Amino acid sequence: MPRIDEPVLPGGTLSVGEVARRSGVAVSTLHFYEAKGLIRSLRTEGNQRRFPRGILRRVAVIKVAQRTGIPLAAIQAALARLPDGRAPTAEEWAELSRAWRAELDDRIRTLSQLRDQLDDCIGCGCLSLKACPLRNPQDVLGAQGPGPRLLEPEAG
């Protein structure tokens, strides 16, 4: 990791605790993000982490992407395309969001299908109605393979 003797950025750098406080993310989460290559820190001579102030925007992007259901691997791949591990500009964020749009649209379709199929059994909660879309007498769907066969998006 790069080492620093003193703050080298305008306005200095932030400690991991300051980043956690300002971003609303736990210190352990920041360590996890760093281990996964989502963010990078500099190190002081005393081996303390220091982050450029722009890390706050990058952490915000990660949090927003996670909240929408984007997997960390996809977030990492998208952020890796940015130069210098910096936060995205408005134009780069627009490009990232366009790249995630198809995945999000697919997730919305799947969740809508799930919601619509569960409407009839949410009221009773027993999943035993003859009209229940999840009913699978004698496990006939087991021959089609593993997983939630009735709830998976239709191929095509």
Side-chain angles (χ1 to χ4, degrees):
M1 294 197 160
R3 298 184 82 75
I4 59 171
D5 296 323
E6 58 190 54
V8 294
L9 300 170
T13 57
L14 301 171
S15 70
V16 68
E18 290 170 312
V19 174
R21 182 181 56 78
R22 300 243 342 246
S23 68
V25 171
V27 169
S28 60
T29 301
L30 294 171
H31 291 173
F32 176 76
Y33 287 169
E34 188 172 15
K36 293 294 183 184
L38 295 163
I39 61 174
R40 283 192 245 158
S41 67
L42 304 170
R43 296 295 180 131
T44 66
E45 283 299 316
N47 204 30
Q48 294 177 332
R49 286 178 172 87
R50 291 291 184 262
F51 294 92
R53 290 186 183 277
I55 201 71
L56 295 170
R57 179 187 245 181
R58 191 173 177 96
V59 171
V61 168
I62 294 167
K63 286 177 62 175
V64 168
Q66 283 185 295
R67 197 174 305 134
T68 62
I70 303 294
L72 275 181
I75 297 169
Q76 180 187 26
L79 293 178
R81 292 191 302 260
L82 298 176
D84 304 321
R86 63 172 169 72
T89 64
E91 294 81 20
E92 289 166 335
W93 173 247
E95 184 178 326
L96 290 177
S97 65
R98 277 191 301 274
W100 290 331
R101 182 176 295 276
E103 182 179 339
L104 291 173
D105 286 344
D106 184 51
R107 186 169 288 125
I108 289 167
R109 274 190 301 279
T110 300
L111 289 172
S112 294
Q113 177 186 5
L114 176 61
R115 179 204 57 219
D116 294 345
Q117 289 178 347
L118 289 177
D119 277 351
D120 291 336
C121 60
I122 287 174
C124 74
C126 72
L127 300 178
S128 65
L129 296 174
K130 290 187 183 201
C132 180
L134 299 178
R135 190 168 173 268
N136 183 20
Q138 286 78 48
D139 192 28
V140 294
L141 295 174
Q144 294 180 17
R149 309 309 301 168
L150 291 174
L151 299 178
E152 290 179 348
E154 296 177 21

